Amino acid sequence: MAYYRQVGSVPPRRHTAFRDDSGALYYEELMGEEGFSSDSSLLYHRGVPSAIVDSQTWELPELATEPNHPLKPRHLKLHSLFDEADVKAVDPVQGRRLVLGNADVRISYVVAGEVSPYYRNAIGDECVYVEQGRGRVETVFGALDYRTGDYVLIPRATTHRWLPDGSEVPSRLYAIEANSHIAPPKRYLSRFGQFLEHAPYCERDLHGPGEPLLVDGDDVEVLVKHRGNGPAASNGIAGTRMTYATHPFDVVGWDGCLYPYTFNVEDFMPITGKVHQPPPVHQVFEGSNFVVCNFCPRKVDYHPDSIPVPYYHSNVDSDEVMFYVGGDYEARKGSGINIGSISLHPGGYAHGPQPAAVEASIGVDYFDELAVMVDTFRPLELGEAGAAAEEPGYAWTWAGRGPR
Ligand SMILES: [Fe+2]
């Protein structure tokens, strides 16, 4: 994020004495990426941000993965993973179940109605897509309200907690956890970081915190997910429960270009063409070795003979994960895919529409569909929730039968 923001009170000159009304100094913290060589923000705390009084092991949920072997496309029904009757006691952090993962990114799913503990992910940025629900995310930078269709972007090591508003529906959250940073694609940005005219969204669509939270408290526990030599079953990811002497949300002000924000999928302006446009026009974010795209409701191809559904494609360098969240996905008709489904189409295998969908799409001028796609450049493995949610038989739906 190269988009400057200032919230609350900051001193006129950085790295100089900044005091409260009683004359006490505030404690300045620089939160910065890539070793002082990329985006950063300066935060001003009432308490010392490094003052911990305890550090204990946090037992992480199951993070082991199994290879997609023998290789095949898969259909995972995420809505089968949680019983809505039980989710009032599930929180959006500890309740996440690992669906797919590799050394660059992990995709988890949770249906939650409970407030999460304070938490930060010290491994990479998180991009949480809100399939359904509303609530708040409180962070050291201030609060973000979230609603259905939001991507909630939380920079690495940002202390925060989730507060689902479960009064109507629980929050269905699709968490994309990177081992890197997640940002708008570089090709959407000028060399100084402003969104260019060809980008399908711009700065007006990004919503950051508006004011400091200024919470008092002591002995506050924060769950920290971090790199480590944890159990082999956790793929080298470890958890620690730190206790802070003072509340981490004691910031009176901050400024800079690094902060959490939301972006709603309805604010993505689809790019369409006379014939089929390739997936990069649907891209919304990128991380190291993966991209995030969204397929939004849109007018489609206007050549009289165009075939609006995709051609069959071997994206030889990536695994493709589609999460179907709204409408009626044209290319998957006849496959059993529905809202809440994931399709995993791995590298090394050509995929495309179900055969009847090709003819049926000719002449159609509008697709009412909404899907979030993650393409990874390393193969994805199945987490415990991926294995538990699998609908067997999907691999044979193009042929209309399995092995004799
Ligand atoms: Fe594809």
Side-chain angles (χ1 to χ4, degrees), residues 53-307:
V53 296
D54 200 4
S55 179
Q56 300 287 335
T57 297
W58 166 33
E59 298 292 344
L60 293 164
E62 176 66 57
L63 294 176
T65 53
E66 292 287 335
N68 179 9
H69 184 241
L71 189 71
K72 61 176 186 175
R74 295 174 189 264
H75 172 193
L76 315 177
K77 298 176 79 168
L78 299 195
H79 287 187
S80 70
L81 291 171
F82 290 85
D83 185 340
E84 283 217 15
D86 301 331
V87 299
K88 277 202 165 17
V90 176
D91 80 67
V93 170
Q94 298 177 106
R96 290 179 192 177
R97 295 182 63 184
L98 183 63
V99 179
L100 294 163
N102 65 18
D104 300 308
V105 63
R106 292 169 302 284
I107 297 172
S108 302
Y109 188 66
V110 61
V111 186
E114 177 62 283
V115 176
S116 81
Y118 295 101
Y119 161 69
R120 66 173 173 265
N121 184 337
I123 298 173
D125 292 359
E126 295 192 352
C127 170
V128 180
Y129 179 76
V130 181
E131 181 199 355
Q132 174 192 279
R134 61 175 59 245
R136 293 192 108 194
V137 181
E138 293 179 347
T139 83
V140 67
F141 294 92
L144 303 168
D145 291 324
Y146 72 82
R147 62 189 169 93
T148 299
D150 273 347
Y151 294 92
V152 182
L153 276 290
I154 310 276
R156 182 180 192 166
T158 298
T159 303
H160 65 283
R161 68 170 179 168
W162 286 79
L163 299 92
D165 175 355
S167 57
E168 294 170 11
V169 291
S171 290
R172 294 183 168 273
L173 304 171
Y174 184 75
I176 302 164
E177 298 182 17
N179 284 15
S180 61
H181 297 301
I182 302 175
K186 284 191 186 67
R187 68 178 189 282
Y188 290 176
L189 305 173
S190 77
R191 63 196 170 105
F192 298 112
Q194 183 178 6
F195 278 87
L196 295 167
E197 275 297 308
H198 75 268
Y201 60 98
C202 72
E203 287 85 353
R204 294 182 193 179
D205 304 314
L206 309 181
H207 307 286
E211 55 189 26
L213 281 168
L214 271 180
V215 180
D216 286 322
D218 54 18
D219 285 11
V220 179
E221 282 191 352
V222 178
L223 303 182
V224 185
K225 191 181 288 177
H226 57 94
R227 292 173 292 189
N229 298 317
S234 296
N235 276 325
I237 299 168
T240 294
R241 184 185 302 270
M242 287 185 180
T243 306
Y244 282 79
T246 54
H247 203 293
F249 296 170
D250 64 348
V251 170
V252 296
W254 61 268
D255 74 338
C257 295
L258 179 66
Y259 50 87
Y261 61 93
T262 63
F263 168 71
N264 195 279
V265 72
E266 286 182 4
D267 294 327
F268 189 93
M269 299 293 119
I271 294 166
T272 59
K274 193 166 184 177
V275 293
H276 186 77
Q277 297 296 296
V281 303
H282 304 285
Q283 190 177 351
V284 58
F285 298 115
E286 66 188 6
S288 175
N289 279 338
F290 73 94
V291 298
V292 182
C293 302
N294 40 218
F295 295 82
C296 299
R298 63 195 182 279
K299 287 188 174 179
V300 289
D301 321 344
Y302 51 89
H303 187 285
D305 295 325
S306 65
I307 297 176

Side-chain angles (χ1 to χ4, degrees), residues 279 295 310-311 313 315 320 322 332 345 351-352 373 375:
F295 295 82
Y311 31 76
H313 47 291
N315 31 344
E320 177 190 294
M322 294 283 279
R332 294 275 85 81
H345 296 143
H351 69 273
M373 181 176 85
D375 261 23

